[in-house]
Amino acid sequence: MKVAEAVGRALYAAGVGQVFGVVGSGNFHLTNAMVAAGSRFVAARHEGGAATMADAYARMSGTVAALSVHQGPGLTNAMTGIAEAAKSRTPLLVLAAEVTEPRSNFYVDQEVLARSVGAVTARVTSADEAVTQALDAVRRAVCERRTVLLNLPLGVQAVEVRDGRSTLVVPPERAPVEPEFADVEALARVLEKSRRAVFVAGRGARSPGARDALMALAERHGALLATSAVARGLFHGDPWSLDVSGGFASPLAAELIREADLIVGWGCALNMWTMRHGRLIGPDTTVVQVDDDASALGAHREVHLGVTGDVELTARRALETDDANRQAQQGEQARQGQRAQRGQLARQGFRTADIGAAIATRVRWRDVPYEDTSGRERIDPRTLSIALDDILPAERVIGVDSGNFMGYPSMYLSVPDENGLCFTQAFQSIGLGLATAIGAALARPDRLPVAALGDGGAMMGAAEFDTVRRLGLPMVVVVYNDDAYGAEVHHFGPDGHPLETVEFPPTDIAAVARGYGFEAVTVRTRAELKAVEDWLTGPRSAPLLIDAKVVADRGAWWLEEAFRGH
């Protein structure tokens, strides 16, 4: 067999079972070889959409996914999605055909291009080494948690492999990083000293095991629980959860986090978004960060203690250390002839009756009072989002685009767990939301997929409406349509700048969706959402788009917070 077929077979055997892409002459044989071996291929309408689908699928499935693209323009078309994946440290394999002749129309320096957005690169250089090199790229993606570009030169792809029975060594899974004993001891001392602790869990804590360990440790020390946006839903249902920390935090959540004497970031970068440019950290607050990547510690702000270790392992070791310290203390008391004071295993800390009652009634954004600015022609995005939260099934997976609107679906639509929101915002590009929802939907077919888009992002990614329809996904697409790039309108408008470059004539996005085979409804009032209820009770044989004409009189609260940080 030829290199293209040998590599395709090897990638499937190594666990790459899902591939997205746009097929051209350069990646035709490789992609077909993967399909023949057993991989599922999803053809997108644009490589940018394919890249984001692969990124979202990998995030929500917990497996490595692949993106297959043509040499040159196939890769350049995909670069925005690749940048998002690389910045998010998504385990993703980008399979790109490559020309090495500089005079070719297709030539670009693909290695430099990939490295410029944070991806790492590899290349298949010979028939003898092709399978080994491909499997090493998979290993790097999985074990180093990186987006890896594997360049496949056209000339090498066509070479015969002398031994088609190459031995396949499946790359190992990423091993959890065991924290140092001294670091765990230091963490235990900080926790014991604290009286008002808040745990903020991020991407590195998105697993049931990490969740359970953090909840147990938080209960022991009376700590409150919060997440970054990418880990939203991790503590869903816990009565001491503040939901999301940072720009999306509700007023009560922000108030309580500011009162903390200790903030521990668990697999969380504690960046400007999660900490509101540092304004959520009090002047006397101790800051601790736990991450299995040592280079992440203190990368965004100074920390008093950094612990290199897997989140679940570190939390469990901290519990064990706490138990051992208490037993040693009781033993010392006994040796000195004192009556051992067992004390309460769990401290009260932040977990008082008053705080518990406040969290139960005020921590969700939908429970925060607001003046409904809906009218006959436009609906308040808060009213829209609360209504959709009540109408849509609880078992949902949401993909959100970027823009002024994004806080409303991200915070007003509840999610059942950490796999309920796919938040591709590391690069903050608009136009990725629909493809995000497609990838998430394929990873979680047991849930209703919901794509939340602005009108700008919806039109930018409209080609993938065809992919939704072609795949038969029972998706609800909600377009928060203010006929503008709302972030720019609300950033520059108050200063009197002309806005003609960022405002658009009214667009009938519902009509656009119908052209792709969607059912669609235009919503200006709460009553018109009855059409959504009807769709949900029906056969859902076609996806549904909601063209919601939203009020555009002011910027979203999170955007005001972001601009205030500049």
Side-chain angles (χ1 to χ4, degrees):
M1 69 181 71
K2 295 184 178 180
V3 165
E5 183 180 354
V7 169
R9 289 186 177 191
L11 291 175
Y12 173 72
V16 185
Q18 180 66 60
V19 191
F20 300 84
V22 176
V23 172
S25 58
N27 62 328
F28 181 85
H29 295 299
L30 172 68
T31 306
N32 282 348
M34 294 186 72
V35 172
S39 295
R40 180 184 183 185
F41 176 68
V42 172
R45 284 300 191 177
H46 190 279
E47 290 92 348
T52 301
M53 292 174 203
D55 179 12
Y57 183 90
R59 297 185 196 212
M60 305 310 285
S61 68
T63 63
V64 64
L67 166 67
S68 178
V69 295
H70 189 270
Q71 63 271 20
L75 181 62
T76 59
N77 276 349
M79 285 311 299
T80 298
I82 293 171
E84 169 64 36
K87 288 175 179 290
S88 300
R89 296 295 292 267
T90 300
L92 179 65
L93 188 63
V94 181
L95 306 170
E98 182 184 35
V99 295
T100 55
E101 170 52 60
R103 289 172 293 185
S104 168
N105 287 356
F106 293 124
Y107 178 79
V108 292
D109 192 330
Q110 298 187 173
E111 194 170 340
V112 170
L113 187 64
R115 288 204 302 264
S116 73
V117 298
V120 297
T121 62
R123 177 174 283 107
V124 170
T125 59
S126 70
D128 290 342
E129 298 295 323
V131 168
T132 299
Q133 291 166 336
L135 294 180
D136 188 60
V138 177
R139 181 197 60 76
R140 293 195 70 184
V142 173
C143 296
E144 298 178 23
R145 223 170 34 229
R146 300 298 296 270
T147 294
V148 180
L149 168 66
L150 179 62
N151 284 305
L152 294 120
L154 295 178
V156 178
Q157 284 194 55
V159 175
E160 293 281 345
V161 176
R162 286 181 295 180
D163 183 4
R165 299 168 298 173
S166 301
T167 301
L168 297 179
V169 179
V170 178
E173 294 184 2
R174 180 181 174 88
V177 177
E178 183 76 47
E180 295 288 340
F181 177 77
D183 289 341
V184 175
E185 284 276 0
L187 173 60
R189 287 194 297 271
V190 170
L191 287 168
E192 186 63 31
K193 181 180 177 182
S194 168
R195 292 297 177 268
R196 299 185 311 280
V198 173
F199 289 179
V200 183
R203 191 189 316 275
R206 290 181 68 251
S207 74
R211 177 196 62 219
D212 294 346
L214 290 177
M215 289 171 66
L217 188 63
E219 182 179 11
R220 174 73 58 85
H221 294 281
L224 301 181
L225 298 161
T227 70
S228 65
V230 295
R232 186 177 184 226
L234 183 67
F235 303 120
H236 178 79
D238 189 289
W240 302 105
S241 171
L242 302 177
D243 207 352
V244 174
S245 173
F248 284 172
S250 67
L252 175 64
E255 175 187 334
L256 291 171
I257 294 169
R258 287 193 194 99
E259 292 177 1
D261 63 5
L262 170 66
I263 293 175
V264 185
W266 297 91
C268 176
L270 300 177
N271 59 26
M272 64 181 184
W273 302 109
T274 309
M275 289 290 109
R276 287 192 182 178
H277 299 270
R279 290 193 299 275
L280 293 185
I281 302 173
D284 300 319
T285 302
T286 299
V287 179
V288 175
Q289 189 178 0
V290 179
D291 202 290
D292 65 2
D293 179 2
S295 67
L297 301 177
H300 291 273
R301 63 188 64 260
E302 184 179 354
V303 297
H304 298 91
L305 172 65
V307 179
T308 302
D310 174 78
V311 166
E312 179 181 351
L313 279 180
T314 302
R316 295 200 184 284
R317 297 295 179 267
L319 276 168
E320 293 165 2
T321 300
D322 186 53
D323 288 341
N325 288 343
R326 294 187 186 200
Q327 290 172 5
Q329 183 181 25
Q330 292 167 6
E332 182 63 24
Q333 291 170 339
R335 279 192 295 274
Q336 294 179 7
Q338 300 174 6
R339 183 177 178 182
Q341 302 294 317
R342 292 187 58 84
Q344 290 185 341
L345 189 61
R347 282 209 312 271
Q348 183 181 59
F350 250 143
R351 299 191 173 196
T352 67
D354 288 346
I355 290 177
I359 291 173
T361 57
R362 293 166 45 208
V363 82
R364 297 187 308 168
W365 268 107
R366 62 173 293 158
D367 296 328
V368 176
Y370 69 96
E371 180 185 354
D372 190 341
T373 59
S374 302
R376 290 166 131 192
E377 297 301 316
R378 291 191 176 270
I379 186 170
D380 190 307
R382 295 164 292 189
T383 302
L384 170 70
S385 302
I386 291 170
L388 287 173
D389 190 42
D390 292 336
I391 293 170
L392 298 175
E395 287 295 313
R396 60 186 71 151
V397 58
I398 304 168
V400 181
D401 213 322
S402 193
N404 174 65
F405 79 95
M406 62 187 278
Y408 300 114
S410 296
M411 293 308 301
Y412 283 81
L413 298 182
S414 61
V415 292
D417 54 30
E418 70 276 14
N419 291 312
L421 174 65
C422 193
F423 196 72
T424 48
Q425 301 292 337
F427 200 28
Q428 289 195 283
S429 171
I430 70 169
L432 306 187
L434 182 59
T436 295
I438 294 171
L442 293 171
R444 296 304 308 254
D446 55 320
R447 297 183 174 183
L448 176 74
V450 180
L453 320 174
D455 53 293
M459 297 305 290
M460 193 176 288
E464 304 307 342
F465 285 147
D466 175 73
T467 306
V468 176
R469 188 268 314 163
R470 183 166 24 92
L471 293 175
L473 298 176
M475 182 180 291
V476 175
V477 178
V478 187
V479 181
Y480 289 72
N481 187 355
D482 61 0
D483 299 314
Y485 292 137
E488 285 65 35
V489 167
H490 298 298
H491 186 36
F492 297 108
D495 294 328
H497 295 290
L499 300 175
E500 290 82 2
T501 54
V502 291
E503 293 180 328
F504 300 92
T507 302
D508 189 348
I509 298 178
V512 174
R514 290 189 193 100
Y516 281 100
F518 277 59
E519 293 184 34
V521 57
T522 299
V523 171
R524 300 178 186 275
T525 66
R526 170 67 177 82
E528 288 169 323
L529 288 171
K530 174 66 166 57
V532 180
E533 298 176 12
D534 294 341
W535 181 85
L536 287 168
T537 58
R540 307 185 195 179
S541 55
L544 174 69
L545 182 134
I546 304 165
D547 184 2
K549 309 297 186 181
V550 296
V551 172
D553 58 346
R554 62 172 297 173
W557 87 95
W558 77 269
L559 197 65
E560 294 174 352
E561 286 285 349
F563 288 151
R564 196 175 297 131
H566 291 322

